[in-house]
Structure formats: C-alpha cells, structure tokens
Amino acid sequence: MDTVSMSSVPPAFRHGCHANTSPYVPPPPARRVVVALVQWTLPAPGWHKLNFDGSVHHDGSGRASIGGVIRDSYGRTVLAFGERTPHAGVGEVESRALIHGLHLALQNGCDRLVVEGDDLTLVRLLRGESPHTRIPWAMYNQILQLLSYFRDVVVQHVYREGNTVADALCHEAYRCSNLWTDHQLVPPAVRAKLEDDRRGVVHPRYRSA
C-alpha cells in the first residue's frame, strides 16, 4: 500500500475539505414595496356591513373555521361570530361564512347591506364579473337567493388588510366557537381590531420587488 506524507498534502486538504477561496455571501433580502394603503370603511347611513372570512389549514389537522362581523354606519358591532366548520376548499369555507353571515343579517333586520370579503374569486362570481367558481352551484344559488331577500345589497372585495376583524374571528373560533352580540364581550384580540377599524387605521399592503 502506498503511503503519503502529510507534509506533501496541501493544507486545505489535510482535514478532508476543499479550500473555500470565496466566502459565502448571503443574497440580499427581498425588498418589500407598498402597493396600496388599505382601510376598512363605514357603510353609508342606514346601511350595515357584513365582513366575512374563512380559514383552512392544509397541515393534515383537518382544521377549518368561519368568521364574520356585522357593523352599522357608526362602526358599532351588531354581532360577531366565529365557528369551526368541516374541512373543505377555501372557496367553499369562505362561502359558508358568507351564508351564515347573511342569515344573521336577515334575522337582525339588516335590510340594506354591504357584503365585503377578501375572496376575489367569490366576489367576482357574485358580482357577475367572472364565471370562474370554486364552489358547488347549489351553494352559489343559495347565496344568490339570500342576497335577493335584502332591499338593497352591494357585494364588494376588500384586501385582507381591510378584513382583519373577520380574520381574527376565524382564528378565535379554533379556541372557542361563539356568537357575540355585545361589543364588550368580544375577545380582546378581536376587540382591538374592531377599535383599529373604528379609528380608521390604515394598513399598508406589500409585495416583494
């Protein structure tokens, strides 16, 4: 067997590694650019606004939830809800939140309603702007029927940054499903978001440059 003297081996190879003549330089972090300023807005006098949202976990836990809030033209909370729901696609879970919110709005005499959610696909479908859908046609027809019961109704899209209360209610539902009709009894995390909206807090919306 041939033997090699360590004195004849270049220093960079004596410990089983190659020389690294250019030290690692991490790439610069992606820049985030503000593309919009988003703010929740009050409905017009005599109107109510329903904000709704759905949450779906794709981590194998089977968790999904719905949340929503109805407020009047002064920003006062009429009611808020957060509930767990069977696991399904995002579009279907968002639609369940909308259906539940519409039922509650009708039960509470909200005959002029602004409906606001961050699921652009669902909003465009309901506004007749696109035929693309992620929900069963039976569910779509159910929503249209519920909307027809209101004296006046407007369906509009809002970015997620303007839908933070409904999002917080979805997360709260994983802890405890509930229906709140008293602003003071709403969970603190949700109440803080409600207060931000009432004060007109503006949220930046980012994208990576």
Side-chain angles (χ1 to χ4, degrees), residues 10 24 47 59 63 69 124 129 131 144 181-182:
Y24 171 73
W47 286 68
D59 56 1
R63 293 189 300 164
V69 57
R124 294 190 66 200
E129 297 173 351
L144 291 184
T181 56
D182 186 331

Side-chain angles (χ1 to χ4, degrees), residues 53-56 63-67 83-85 93 169-171 173-174:
D53 199 11
S55 169
V56 179
R63 293 189 300 164
S65 66
I66 60 174
E83 298 181 2
R84 293 191 181 191
T85 191
V93 172
L169 285 161
C170 286
H171 291 287
Y174 292 124

Side-chain angles (χ1 to χ4, degrees), residues 175-188:
R175 295 179 59 250
C176 178
S177 296
N178 211 335
L179 171 66
W180 297 272
T181 56
D182 186 331
H183 174 82
Q184 297 303 320
L185 298 180
V186 172

